[in-house]
């Protein structure tokens, strides 16, 4: 039997650290369920001690997701570790992931600790964590830039204290595949008790090599866990991308000789869900999940693929969840057909009232758009207001006038704590006028740091999906709105971002 490669997803922790990618509890729960459907082995659900909000997210995911191990990050101190254990109390399988920096640069400049103090703190933290849980992962932060002799001492000591997984992060994305692979191989060969732990890789993508480095850590270094995120989401240039690493190991099983548990048919839905939730658009030529990943434009390629698909295709689009851009439902479709299509798309809505809310929106959309595609349905259900939780701002209606040579004007009706208000403004264009009309009433003072429009299913008949990223008092939030009218979609996205600005709490940085 081939060895198993453990897939550890950190979209909800390291991915969320990406500025602007912060998610609400409901959004995280929805993504966690999708990760469970994907059969991810370990889900890093957050950093419980960083804020009450993060604690609640880890706790909620630990209560709901039963088929994956649920993990919380924790700095190497008793308070963080105890908080992580408490948040994970109801998980069917739980892991604490504790970390402390080991590079000379980080120890001296950031932690202001001596190497001996770091070694002691690492040992003491793993000992403390092991008294609370069996499954303990230890990461020497900035491990790849650490002195190998010192790293060997730290890792040997934490394994002796009971760490069950050793993760070697390339925190700043500095590694080169062959060098990183050999770095891990040398550590494993030099550390006498290295066989008592599973070795893991965690690579950032600053030089565009996170996937290559991770795979070298597996092939050359003998690591058996890869830490990764959906769409490679993460700080700066991101993390190792789950879909790429999984499809590389599956497609080149002849080379890697490893099995992964992942149910790849759920990959595209997971990618769409993460991109819609965070507003981080997937580039069209992105491997596996980009819109062009399986599109053959050149005549020679098309001809080849029609004659024999493997002339130009190394993976099958349907194996990663690309279904043909199907017209699935229309105006006459009933609630059962809608519910069944949701199930086929792997979407689980929590309650009958959520299904009813989604179905009402589906009917409204079908009145305005004759063909409803899978992408439209996914956009409908990714809207956080389905949960029925009271939100401060809600869209009601909009009218706007724009004509060549005239300054556009918009009038918008929206709710503030359930009460309808009407506001109007002029702007450079109709979108600008609509958002200024909202701002004229709300006075949030937030700065808009991103505005993007994307056609959900490719043509002008499609719904427009708008992302608005707002920044206020050091916090960055995304709002997403979808509608066949992109001005309405923009207003919905703006209101959604304002709702999130109201609800986010302060948190401690994971690498602070
Ligand atoms: O990149 C990193 O070093 C991390 C650690 C906290 C594991 O994310
Ligand atoms: Zn990281």
């Amino acid at each position: 039997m081939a060895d198993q490669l453990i897939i550890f997803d950190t979209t909800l922790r390291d991915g969320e650290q990406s500025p602007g990618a912060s998610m609400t509890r409901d959004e995280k729960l929805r993504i966690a369920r999708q990760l469970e459907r994907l059969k991810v082995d370990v889900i890093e659900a957050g950093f419980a001690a960083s804020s009450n909000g993060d604690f609640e997210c880890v706790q909620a995911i630990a209560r709901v997701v039963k088929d994956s191990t649920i993990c919380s990050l924790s700095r190497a101190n008793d308070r963080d570790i105890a908080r992580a254990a408490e948040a994970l109390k109801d998980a069917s399988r739980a892991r604490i992931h504790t970390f402390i920096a080991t590079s000379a640069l980080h120890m001296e400049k950031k932690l202001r600790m001596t190497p001996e103090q770091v070694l002691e703190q690492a040992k003491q933290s793993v000992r403390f964590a092991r008294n609370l849980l069996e499954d303990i992962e230890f990461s020497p932060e900035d491990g790849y830039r650490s002195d190998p002799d010192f790293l060997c001492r730290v890792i040997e000591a934490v394994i002796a204290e009971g760490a069950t997984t050793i993760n070697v992060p390339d925190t700043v994305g500095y590694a080169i595949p062959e060098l990183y692979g050999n770095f891990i191989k040398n550590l494993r060969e030099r550390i006498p008790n290295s066989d008592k732990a599973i070795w893991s890789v965690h690579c950032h993508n600053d030089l565009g090599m996170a996937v290559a480095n991770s795979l070298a850590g597996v092939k050359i270094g003998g690591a058996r866990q890869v830490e990764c995120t959906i769409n490679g989401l993460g700080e700066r240039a991101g993390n190792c991308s789950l879909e790429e690493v999984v499809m590389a190991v599956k497609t080149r099983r002849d080379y890697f000789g490893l099995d992964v548990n992942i149910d790849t048919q759920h990959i595209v839905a997971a990618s769409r869900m993460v991109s819609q939730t965070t507003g981080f658009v997937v580039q069209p030529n992105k491997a596996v999940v980009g819109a062009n990943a399986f599109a053959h434009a050149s005549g020679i390629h098309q001809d080849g693929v029609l004659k024999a698909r493997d002339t130009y295709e190394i993976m099958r689009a349907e194996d990663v969840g690309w279904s043909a851009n199907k017209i699935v439902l229309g105006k006459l479709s009933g609630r059962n057909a809608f519910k069944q299509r949701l199930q086929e798309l792997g979407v689980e809505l929590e309650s009958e009232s959520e299904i009813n809310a989604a179905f009402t929106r589906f009917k409204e959309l079908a009145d305005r758009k004759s063909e409803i595609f899978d992408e439209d349905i996914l956009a409908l259900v990714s809207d956080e207001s389905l949960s029925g939780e009271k939100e401060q701002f809600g869209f009601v209606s909009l009218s706007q006038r724009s004509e060549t040579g005239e300054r556009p004007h918009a009038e918008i009706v929206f709710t503030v704590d359930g009460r309808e208000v009407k506001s109007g403004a002029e702007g450079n264009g109709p979108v600008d006028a609509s958002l200024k009309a909202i701002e004229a009433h709300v006075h949030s003072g937030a700065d808009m740091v991103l505005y993007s429009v994307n056609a959900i299913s490719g043509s002008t008949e499609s719904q427009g999906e708008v992302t608005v990223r707002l920044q206020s008092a050091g916090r960055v939030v995304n709002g997403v709105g979808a509608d066949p009218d992109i001005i309405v979609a923009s207003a919905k996205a703006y209101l959604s971002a304002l709702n999130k600005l109201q609800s986010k709490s302060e948190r401690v940085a994971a690498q602070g």
Side-chain angles (χ1 to χ4, degrees):
M1 217 181 83
D3 268 1
Q4 190 74 24
L5 183 65
I6 297 167
I7 300 297
F8 175 115
D9 181 278
T10 183
T11 307
L12 301 176
R13 197 280 296 171
D14 216 348
E16 204 212 14
Q17 273 171 229
S18 180
S22 63
M23 301 170 228
T24 64
R25 196 186 78 115
D26 283 354
E27 288 167 344
K28 284 192 168 187
L29 261 175
R30 194 168 289 160
I31 291 173
R33 286 214 192 86
Q34 181 65 17
L35 294 173
E36 183 183 34
R37 236 172 262 133
L38 259 180
K39 298 199 172 33
V40 159
D41 300 288
V42 186
I43 298 174
E44 189 162 52
F47 175 11
S50 69
S51 68
N52 289 340
D54 242 39
F55 178 90
E56 282 164 20
C57 287
V58 175
Q59 186 176 56
I61 293 170
R63 286 179 177 161
V64 168
V65 172
K66 293 296 162 200
D67 294 340
S68 309
T69 296
I70 307 301
C71 172
S72 171
L73 185 71
S74 145
R75 287 169 298 190
N77 65 57
D78 293 1
R79 182 199 162 265
D80 270 29
I81 293 169
R83 193 87 178 125
E86 198 189 331
L88 293 167
K89 199 162 51 70
D90 298 326
S92 56
R93 283 192 303 275
R95 171 181 298 187
I96 292 174
H97 175 192
T98 187
F99 74 99
I100 188 164
T102 51
S103 66
L105 188 63
H106 279 225
M107 290 190 291
E108 190 193 325
K109 302 277 193 253
K110 187 181 78 170
L111 298 177
R112 299 186 197 287
M113 287 169 76
T114 64
E116 292 314 310
Q117 287 172 324
V118 166
L119 173 65
E120 268 320 301
Q121 193 161 324
K123 280 165 59 178
Q124 136 73 25
S125 303
V126 171
R127 192 179 315 140
F128 182 75
R130 236 349 255 268
N131 281 330
L132 302 173
L133 274 181
E134 300 254 295
D135 188 348
I136 306 299
E137 174 167 332
F138 175 79
S139 287
E141 190 192 357
D142 204 20
Y144 180 66
R145 291 195 304 170
S146 303
D147 169 44
D149 293 341
F150 177 59
L151 204 51
C152 283
R153 286 179 62 209
V154 173
I155 294 176
E156 182 179 350
V158 295
I159 295 177
E161 296 291 350
T164 43
T165 299
I166 297 297
N167 180 45
V168 185
D170 176 22
T171 304
V172 292
Y174 182 67
I176 303 290
E178 190 187 351
L179 301 182
Y180 183 68
N182 281 321
F183 189 77
I184 293 187
K185 181 169 183 269
N186 288 337
L187 291 175
R188 288 183 58 231
E189 283 170 0
R190 285 182 57 191
I191 295 173
N193 54 1
S194 66
D195 61 329
K196 302 279 183 304
I198 291 171
W199 286 69
S200 167
V201 287
H202 178 112
C203 297
H204 282 265
N205 204 31
D206 299 67
L207 294 174
M209 288 188 278
V211 172
N213 287 334
S214 303
L215 290 171
V218 169
K219 182 69 182 175
I220 306 173
R224 288 296 174 265
Q225 173 175 287
V226 174
E227 303 201 349
C228 45
T229 59
I230 301 290
N231 299 337
L233 185 71
E235 269 184 300
R236 309 184 305 278
N239 284 63
C240 168
S241 128
L242 179 144
E243 57 280 2
E244 293 180 23
V245 101
V246 165
M247 290 318 288
V249 171
K250 283 216 165 217
T251 308
R252 296 308 308 269
R253 197 178 180 286
D254 58 320
Y255 177 73
F256 289 104
L258 292 169
D259 285 332
V260 281
N261 274 333
I262 300 298
D263 184 347
T264 58
Q265 293 199 359
H266 295 292
I267 283 180
V268 168
S271 162
R272 269 206 69 75
M273 196 183 278
V274 169
S275 132
Q276 278 183 334
T277 307
T278 58
F280 279 63
V281 176
V282 174
Q283 75 197 53
N285 58 332
K286 165 91 170 61
V288 186
V289 292
N292 288 353
F294 293 88
H296 299 277
S298 109
I300 298 174
H301 286 203
Q302 282 175 355
D303 181 56
V305 169
L306 288 176
K307 286 179 179 142
R309 162 179 211 153
D310 52 3
T311 48
Y312 287 101
E313 269 185 17
I314 57 165
M315 301 171 266
R316 294 182 339 147
E318 50 272 40
D319 288 349
V320 294
W322 284 107
S323 53
N325 193 15
K326 277 192 278 177
I327 301 167
V328 286
L329 299 171
K331 205 177 162 124
L332 299 176
S333 309
R335 191 176 177 282
N336 278 345
F338 177 69
K339 202 171 157 184
Q340 188 183 336
R341 192 63 204 143
L342 286 180
Q343 273 163 6
E344 285 162 10
L345 288 169
V347 177
E348 271 172 41
L349 291 181
E350 260 156 69
S351 60
E352 283 300 304
S353 70
E354 275 196 24
I355 297 177
N356 290 341
F359 184 61
T360 305
R361 286 191 190 181
F362 161 75
K363 281 293 194 188
E364 283 163 10
L365 183 62
D367 275 341
R368 299 159 64 203
K369 187 171 183 291
S370 53
E371 299 169 332
I372 307 283
F373 296 90
D374 287 349
E375 286 81 355
D376 293 312
I377 295 183
L378 289 170
L380 279 177
V381 296
S382 73
D383 190 325
E384 70 272 9
S385 58
L386 277 181
S387 67
E389 269 173 35
K390 284 274 164 287
E391 283 174 327
Q392 188 170 18
F393 305 108
F395 176 83
V396 178
S397 65
L398 180 140
S399 72
Q400 53 78 25
R401 189 170 34 77
S402 66
E403 206 179 313
T404 312
E406 295 273 314
R407 196 154 161 78
H409 181 89
E411 295 278 336
I412 180 160
V413 181
F414 60 105
T415 51
V416 182
D417 295 324
R419 193 175 48 86
E420 279 195 11
V421 295
K422 189 171 181 181
S423 181
E426 288 189 344
N428 290 348
V431 171
D432 190 43
S434 306
L435 305 194
K436 285 206 166 105
I438 297 174
E439 199 51 36
H441 184 86
V442 172
H443 302 296
S444 78
D447 292 325
M448 192 183 299
V449 287
L450 176 115
Y451 170 81
S452 84
V453 189
N454 186 30
I456 288 185
S457 46
S459 78
T460 50
E461 288 183 356
S462 159
Q463 287 199 88
E465 184 176 71
V466 173
T467 303
V468 168
R469 188 171 299 157
L470 296 182
Q471 184 167 31
S472 174
R475 280 164 46 218
V476 183
V477 295
N478 280 313
V480 181
D483 198 275
D485 178 336
I486 58 163
I487 302 165
V488 171
S490 304
K492 286 181 176 173
Y494 195 79
L495 292 169
S496 150
L498 289 178
N499 281 326
K500 289 186 186 175
L501 268 185
Q502 306 301 320
S503 67
K504 293 277 152 70
S505 58
E506 296 304 323
R507 52 171 43 203
V508 173
Q511 288 159 20

